[in-house]
Amino acid sequence: MNESKQIIVAVIGLAHGHIYQMCRGLIAAGAQLKYVYDEDLSAVQSFTRVFPQVIPVQSEEDVFSDREVKLVASADIPSKRAALGIRAMKAGKDFFCAKAPAITQRQIRGIKKTMRKTGNKFFVFYSEFFESEAAVYADKLIKEGTIGKVLNVTILAPHRLGESRPKWFYERKKSGGILIDIGSHQFDQFLTFTGNNRAKILSSGIGNFAHRDFEGFDDFGDVHLVGENGATGYIRVDWFTPEALPVFGDGKVVILGETGYIELRKYIDVGCGDSCENVILVTKDKISKESVKDKTEKPFFSNLIYDCLHRTETAMSFKQTFHAMELAVKSQKKAKRLI
Amino acid sequence: MNESKQIIVAVIGLAHGHIYQMCRGLIAAGAQLKYVYDEDLSAVQSFTRVFPQVIPVQSEEDVFSDREVKLVASADIPSKRAALGIRAMKAGKDFFCAKAPAITQRQIRGIKKTMRKTGNKFFVFYSEFFESEAAVYADKLIKEGTIGKVLNVTILAPHRLGESRPKWFYERKKSGGILIDIGSHQFDQFLTFTGNNRAKILSSGIGNFAHRDFEGFDDFGDVHLVGENGATGYIRVDWFTPEALPVFGDGKVVILGETGYIELRKYIDVGCGDSCENVILVTKDKISKESVKDKTEKPFFSNLIYDCLHRTETAMSFKQTFHAMELAVKSQKKAKRLI
């Protein structure tokens, strides 16, 4: 094992299934999972069936007091993530959080302040970029100048609701709302692809069209925004993936540049068999479609571990990460209620 | 020939090439072209090379005074279309106009008033709906309830600028601007697909990113809007079709319904050979992609002639046609300048 990949991780908060994806990624990149804590013992049982090497502990304190633990990973209820991350950073740990990491501007300010004060890190798992080979590949194409200056990013990010969501998921005070929950990593992609440090919400909408049993729930949201370099974005998020689709959502991104455009069909390309992570590229002299699945390195988890060990910032820009969250919170707060 | 299809048409105003598509459609549906008038004699010459049966005349009056002429078709400079149409209607003719038919709210009010007063008709050639089999087919699917209530329509409508645009095209006072020019038929599609009579602009942007030689020109525009039933829309229009694309633009429409979604790839489906007018449909129990090219009736021109002869309203809803224009003019006027 590469010495530089040895890092001890503990898990606190199993409320969302994303924790499994996060832990698999960490382990594959060389991390060692040591502890798990959640007050829901059945969630802990399920977790240790998948990761039997992990020791269940009785409290956060058991995790925080072990100096060997460098990183705490969490998919707690969204409203609780910021405070947990702040406690972890104050206890000397780096923190790795499912999205969205915060649901209010106050929480975001608290995280940023604690990062500055403690020097510890707060990573966010914006999986629709980091785990999408098409997205990572598109970023590379853009940075190489393949489509010129980016003028617009349009993202359609439908998701499947399914039947087994926990109660907190439907409560806006706990989940934050659709533009915070599913929106957050779309804002992050907008900033990445357009090369903007900052952006401004032009308008946003939220609605509950078809899930009236859940009063505090948004099943649809959309946002029009503009970056400081003039590039605009549109983000549509919803919980309306139809039953017949074999994946969780037909996620698409279209990136318009001055000299070309890129379209990403991340999870499915309907009518094109099993192909996914498809990238369409059209420029002055090229027109192509190819699947980049299993062809593109996704360096996120390795970089995260490297950053923990070497105090660098290679996995993600923290400035961008939290500005994406600020945009998500702002768009949710000022959203027009559509219905 | 079916008696009901006999109608005599005259052409006034050849500024935009759309007049050729309009005349071909009329002729194919049984109309007879009699006269052509434009002060640009070389444009008239080109036109009569394509349609040698048509008689060039010296003035509008020569057209208006012939009682046999029932319909005047025009692709004059956009800023002049409304006044020409009003003159034609006052002379007892119906009028068939390239989009956009007007560039100010005052012009739209003038058209509507003259329609009411004279009882004559003012048709608009919203070609990206009427001439797209995929769009017409999608409308049918929606009306049959295939995807349930429509919640969102996202339209990407890139266009190729080319090298040979006339001077007026680059002047906002004559062309109206990008959200009026290319935007107008996107607003019409939003209203059609969402089933809204009225909508409201939430935000809009225009920019000139790469054509700084033309001060009064927008090469990019986008709009976020909401219909009175809560459905939202996003429209992106631009003049950035890359050289390698073999068609004028990779026009796409994604229509999200409560129980399914439809994606239209109208003019090209990159990586899928020559197929176009492709319709993706995903519902509770179906997932499919098919080309509807040459499989779907496009009844626009036949209906237009029928409406002229029988004073019906089957080709297009005039209320919708002009509300689409009101939205286009409003979005252009209140657009944020992006750059």
Side-chain angles (χ1 to χ4, degrees), chain A residues 155-193:
Chain A
I155 306 180
L156 303 183
H159 283 65
R160 174 164 287 133
L161 191 55
E163 308 261 302
S164 62
R165 298 276 172 175
K167 202 162 155 262
W168 62 260
F169 175 82
Y170 296 100
E171 299 172 29
R172 201 176 292 114
K173 279 195 172 165
K174 291 181 178 168
S175 76
I178 194 166
L179 293 174
I180 289 176
D181 175 12
I182 331 183
S184 54
H185 40 173
Q186 320 308 334
F187 289 103
D188 176 63
Q189 282 174 85
F190 170 80
L191 295 172
T192 296
F193 293 141

Side-chain angles (χ1 to χ4, degrees), chain A residues 11-60:
Chain A
V11 172
I12 300 177
L14 303 169
H16 196 293
H18 280 150
I19 194 67
Y20 287 88
Q21 206 183 352
M22 294 160 66
C23 288
R24 281 194 200 98
L26 287 168
I27 291 168
Q32 186 191 325
L33 258 58
K34 187 169 183 182
Y35 301 126
V36 59
Y37 171 69
D38 193 294
E39 56 183 27
D40 177 351
L41 295 184
S42 74
V44 172
Q45 266 183 2
S46 302
F47 187 81
T48 52
R49 269 198 293 274
V50 176
F51 301 105
Q53 73 276 30
V54 181
I55 306 159
V57 293
Q58 302 307 311
S59 71
E60 278 181 23

Side-chain angles (χ1 to χ4, degrees), chain A residues 86-101:
Chain A
I86 288 169
R87 291 197 298 279
M89 288 190 288
K90 284 186 174 167
K93 317 299 183 193
D94 291 328
F95 189 67
F96 176 34
C97 192
K99 64 79 209 166

Side-chain angles (χ1 to χ4, degrees), chain A residues 151-152 203 209 220 222 224 230 232 234 236 240 242-245 250 252 258 261 263 265 283-284, chain B residues 151-152 203 209 220 222 224 230 232 234 236 240 242-245 250 252 258 261 263 265 283-284 286:
Chain A
L151 311 180
N152 179 262
S203 57
F209 287 92
F220 179 90
D222 65 358
H224 185 203
T232 58
Y234 177 66
R236 191 203 88 195
F240 285 103
E243 281 92 328
L245 200 82
D250 189 352
K252 292 181 218 296
E258 265 190 29
Y261 67 91
E263 178 179 345
R265 300 183 190 145
T283 65
K284 197 177 157 71
Chain B
L151 311 180
N152 179 263
S203 57
F209 286 93
F220 179 90
D222 65 356
H224 185 204
T232 59
Y234 177 67
R236 193 204 84 196
F240 285 103
E243 281 93 327
L245 202 82
D250 190 352
K252 293 178 216 294
E258 264 190 29
Y261 67 91
E263 179 178 344
R265 299 182 192 148
T283 65
K284 197 178 157 69
K286 182 176 176 174

Side-chain angles (χ1 to χ4, degrees), chain A residues 149 151-152 154 156 200 202-205 209-210 220 222 224 226 229-230 232 234 236 238 240 242-246 250 252 254 256-261 263 265 268-272 280 282-289 336 338-339, chain B residues 149 151-152 154 156 200 202-205 209-210 220 222 224 226 229-230 232 234 236 238 240 242-246 250 252 254 256-261 263 265 268-272 280 282-289 336 338-339:
Chain A
K149 175 180 156 60
L151 311 180
N152 179 262
T154 295
L156 303 183
K200 208 180 127 180
L202 294 174
S203 57
S204 58
F209 287 92
F220 179 90
D222 65 358
H224 185 203
V226 59
N229 68 8
T232 58
Y234 177 66
R236 191 203 88 195
D238 66 81
F240 285 103
E243 281 92 328
L245 200 82
D250 189 352
K252 292 181 218 296
V254 181
L256 175 69
E258 265 190 29
T259 62
Y261 67 91
E263 178 179 345
R265 300 183 190 145
I268 191 167
D269 192 341
V270 172
C272 295
I280 287 167
V282 183
T283 65
K284 197 177 157 71
D285 42 29
K286 182 177 177 173
I287 172 165
S288 66
K289 178 167 97 166
K336 178 181 171 67
L338 302 169
I339 195 163
Chain B
K149 175 181 157 58
L151 311 180
N152 179 263
T154 295
L156 303 184
K200 208 180 127 184
L202 295 174
S203 57
S204 58
F209 286 93
F220 179 90
D222 65 356
H224 185 204
V226 59
N229 69 8
T232 59
Y234 177 67
R236 193 204 84 196
D238 66 82
F240 285 103
E243 281 93 327
L245 202 82
D250 190 352
K252 293 178 216 294
V254 181
L256 175 70
E258 264 190 29
T259 62
Y261 67 91
E263 179 178 344
R265 299 182 192 148
I268 192 166
D269 192 342
V270 173
C272 295
I280 287 167
V282 183
T283 65
K284 197 178 157 69
D285 42 30
K286 182 176 176 174
I287 172 165
S288 67
K289 178 166 97 165
K336 178 183 172 64
L338 302 169
I339 195 163

Side-chain angles (χ1 to χ4, degrees), chain A residues 203 336, chain B residues 187 190-191 196-203 223-229 231-233 323 327 330-331 334:
Chain A
S203 57
K336 178 181 171 67
Chain B
F187 288 104
F190 171 80
L191 295 172
N196 275 299
N197 289 317
R198 300 198 69 78
K200 208 180 127 184
I201 308 299
L202 295 174
S203 57
V223 186
H224 185 204
L225 76 164
V226 59
E228 57 190 352
N229 69 8
T232 59
H323 188 51
L327 291 170
K330 205 172 287 180
S331 71
K334 73 183 273 187

